[in-house]
Amino acid sequence: MTFPEFSSNDFDVFQIPSLESRMEVLIERVQRRLQKKLPHFEVGMFDIHLLVIFAIIYESPNKTTFDVK
């Protein structure tokens, strides 16, 4: 399994002041290179708690590695 490399250009997106504009550029530059079919963690931050989920989608080629019977 290979992991896509990030360039300094990918991190320049955080200099964009508007959240909407920043999200558009993030989706355009970064998200297209990441494959959600690979196992990954999803993180949510709220005022009073932190949520971390390990996610693996059905299209993942190595989902049987994480299968719990």
Side-chain angles (χ1 to χ4, degrees), residues 19-49:
L19 177 61
E20 289 181 30
S21 300
R22 188 174 345 159
M23 291 307 294
E24 287 177 20
V25 176
L26 270 171
I27 290 168
E28 179 182 319
R29 290 186 191 170
V30 179
Q31 188 177 19
R32 286 177 186 169
R33 283 194 272 145
L34 299 177
Q35 298 294 319
K36 286 206 169 188
K37 63 182 175 180
L38 298 176
H40 63 281
F41 288 97
E42 296 177 1
V43 179
M45 293 172 43
F46 302 91
D47 291 350
I48 58 172
H49 64 279

Side-chain angles (χ1 to χ4, degrees), residues 64 66-69:
T64 55
F66 301 98
D67 187 19
V68 177
K69 298 189 190 240

